[in-house]
Amino acid sequence: MVNKKSRAVVRKDKHRRIRNNISGTAAKPRLAVFRSNNHMYAQIIDDTVGNTLTSASTLDKEVSKGLEKTNNVEAATKLGEVVAKKALDQGIKTVVFDRGGFIYAGKIKALADAAREAGLEF
Protein backbone atom coordinates (compact mmCIF):
# COMPACT_ATOMS: atom_id res chain seq x y z
CA MET A 1 0.00 0.00 0.00
CA VAL A 2 1.31 3.42 -0.98
CA ASN A 3 1.24 6.10 1.67
CA LYS A 4 0.95 9.57 0.17
CA LYS A 5 1.60 12.77 2.05
CA SER A 6 -1.33 15.14 2.23
CA ARG A 7 -1.33 18.12 -0.11
CA ALA A 8 -0.98 20.47 2.84
CA VAL A 9 2.16 18.71 4.05
CA VAL A 10 3.65 18.73 0.55
CA ARG A 11 2.90 22.46 0.21
CA LYS A 12 4.53 23.24 3.56
CA ASP A 13 7.65 21.28 2.56
CA LYS A 14 7.84 23.18 -0.74
CA HIS A 15 7.38 26.48 1.05
CA ARG A 16 10.17 25.66 3.50
CA ARG A 17 12.52 24.85 0.60
CA ILE A 18 11.54 28.06 -1.21
CA ARG A 19 12.04 30.18 1.93
CA ASN A 20 15.60 28.86 2.29
CA ASN A 21 16.45 30.74 -0.93
CA ILE A 22 14.12 33.76 -0.73
CA SER A 23 14.42 36.59 1.74
CA GLY A 24 13.02 40.09 1.70
CA THR A 25 15.16 43.11 2.51
CA ALA A 26 14.32 46.76 3.06
CA ALA A 27 15.31 47.53 -0.54
CA LYS A 28 13.52 44.50 -2.01
CA PRO A 29 10.86 43.09 0.34
CA ARG A 30 9.08 39.76 -0.08
CA LEU A 31 5.53 39.50 -1.47
CA ALA A 32 4.15 36.47 0.38
CA VAL A 33 0.92 34.86 -0.80
CA PHE A 34 -1.34 32.50 1.13
CA ARG A 35 -4.47 30.89 -0.22
CA SER A 36 -7.12 29.18 1.89
CA ASN A 37 -10.31 27.51 0.76
CA ASN A 38 -12.30 30.72 1.15
CA HIS A 39 -9.86 33.65 0.93
CA MET A 40 -6.48 34.85 -0.30
CA TYR A 41 -3.93 36.91 1.60
CA ALA A 42 -0.91 38.89 0.38
CA GLN A 43 1.73 40.56 2.54
CA ILE A 44 4.82 42.57 1.72
CA ILE A 45 7.41 41.69 4.34
CA ASP A 46 10.87 42.99 5.28
CA ASP A 47 12.53 39.84 6.64
CA THR A 48 15.61 41.63 8.02
CA VAL A 49 13.53 43.13 10.83
CA GLY A 50 10.49 40.85 10.56
CA ASN A 51 7.97 43.61 9.77
CA THR A 52 4.96 43.43 7.52
CA LEU A 53 5.12 46.63 5.48
CA THR A 54 1.69 46.30 3.92
CA SER A 55 -0.95 43.65 3.45
CA ALA A 56 -4.25 42.98 1.75
CA SER A 57 -6.71 40.12 1.68
CA THR A 58 -10.06 39.23 0.25
CA LEU A 59 -11.47 39.91 3.71
CA ASP A 60 -10.84 43.65 3.18
CA LYS A 61 -13.85 45.69 2.11
CA GLU A 62 -12.01 47.40 -0.76
CA VAL A 63 -11.04 44.02 -2.26
CA SER A 64 -14.27 42.09 -1.71
CA LYS A 65 -16.53 44.95 -2.82
CA GLY A 66 -18.17 43.98 -6.09
CA LEU A 67 -16.92 40.39 -6.01
CA GLU A 68 -19.30 37.47 -6.09
CA LYS A 69 -16.78 35.04 -4.55
CA THR A 70 -13.56 35.59 -2.62
CA ASN A 71 -11.75 32.45 -3.71
CA ASN A 72 -11.59 32.61 -7.51
CA VAL A 73 -9.26 34.04 -10.16
CA GLU A 74 -11.23 37.30 -10.34
CA ALA A 75 -10.72 37.87 -6.61
CA ALA A 76 -7.01 37.05 -6.94
CA THR A 77 -6.66 39.60 -9.73
CA LYS A 78 -8.33 42.29 -7.63
CA LEU A 79 -6.12 41.40 -4.65
CA GLY A 80 -2.99 41.70 -6.80
CA GLU A 81 -4.02 45.17 -7.95
CA VAL A 82 -4.79 46.35 -4.40
CA VAL A 83 -1.59 45.04 -2.83
CA ALA A 84 0.48 46.59 -5.66
CA LYS A 85 -1.28 49.94 -5.20
CA LYS A 86 -0.62 49.86 -1.44
CA ALA A 87 3.04 48.98 -2.04
CA LEU A 88 3.53 51.76 -4.58
CA ASP A 89 1.92 54.25 -2.18
CA GLN A 90 4.63 53.33 0.35
CA GLY A 91 7.38 53.69 -2.24
CA ILE A 92 7.98 49.96 -2.78
CA LYS A 93 8.61 49.27 -6.47
CA THR A 94 10.45 45.94 -6.55
CA VAL A 95 9.67 42.81 -4.55
CA VAL A 96 10.62 39.14 -4.37
CA PHE A 97 7.64 36.89 -5.08
CA ASP A 98 6.99 34.10 -2.58
CA ARG A 99 4.29 31.77 -3.88
CA GLY A 100 4.06 30.01 -0.52
CA GLY A 101 4.56 26.51 -1.89
CA PHE A 102 1.50 26.79 -4.10
CA ILE A 103 1.71 25.87 -7.78
CA TYR A 104 2.30 28.94 -9.96
CA ALA A 105 -0.95 28.65 -11.90
CA GLY A 106 -4.54 29.78 -11.59
CA LYS A 107 -5.13 32.11 -8.65
CA ILE A 108 -1.46 32.56 -7.73
CA LYS A 109 -0.52 33.42 -11.32
CA ALA A 110 -3.48 35.80 -11.61
CA LEU A 111 -2.41 37.63 -8.46
CA ALA A 112 1.20 37.90 -9.67
CA ASP A 113 0.19 39.11 -13.15
CA ALA A 114 -2.18 41.72 -11.73
CA ALA A 115 0.51 43.00 -9.35
CA ARG A 116 2.95 43.28 -12.26
CA GLU A 117 0.42 45.14 -14.42
CA ALA A 118 -0.30 47.52 -11.53
CA GLY A 119 3.38 48.51 -11.39
CA LEU A 120 5.27 46.11 -9.10
CA GLU A 121 8.47 44.60 -10.46
CA PHE A 122 9.56 41.04 -9.73
Side-chain angles (χ1 to χ4, degrees):
M1 188 161 137
V2 176
N3 291 328
K4 286 179 68 173
K5 290 184 178 179
S6 72
R7 291 176 75 175
V9 170
V10 170
R11 184 196 70 80
K12 286 179 183 176
D13 288 345
K14 282 183 190 177
H15 190 215
R16 187 174 21 82
R17 284 195 304 270
I18 289 168
R19 285 287 289 122
N20 284 333
N21 298 320
I22 293 177
S23 182
T25 62
K28 197 169 184 181
R30 175 171 58 101
L31 172 58
V33 177
F34 179 74
R35 173 173 69 84
S36 72
N37 287 338
N38 295 322
H39 295 284
M40 289 189 72
Y41 308 86
Q43 297 180 332
I44 296 183
I45 303 166
D46 178 3
D47 288 317
T48 56
V49 292
N51 284 346
T52 299
L53 304 174
T54 187
S55 67
S57 74
T58 54
L59 291 168
D60 298 341
K61 295 286 187 197
E62 67 179 302
V63 178
S64 62
K65 182 174 57 176
L67 293 176
E68 202 173 301
K69 291 185 170 184
T70 57
N71 63 347
N72 57 10
V73 173
E74 183 184 346
T77 303
K78 182 91 180 260
L79 180 61
E81 293 169 359
V82 170
V83 76
K85 180 180 173 291
K86 285 184 173 184
L88 292 171
D89 288 345
Q90 288 190 354
I92 301 167
K93 293 183 177 90
T94 59
V95 295
V96 177
F97 188 68
D98 177 9
R99 60 187 174 93
F102 297 103
I103 297 170
Y104 187 80
K107 300 171 200 171
I108 302 295
K109 186 176 189 302
L111 188 145
D113 290 344
R116 280 191 192 102
E117 287 178 17
L120 275 184
E121 297 176 13
F122 53 94

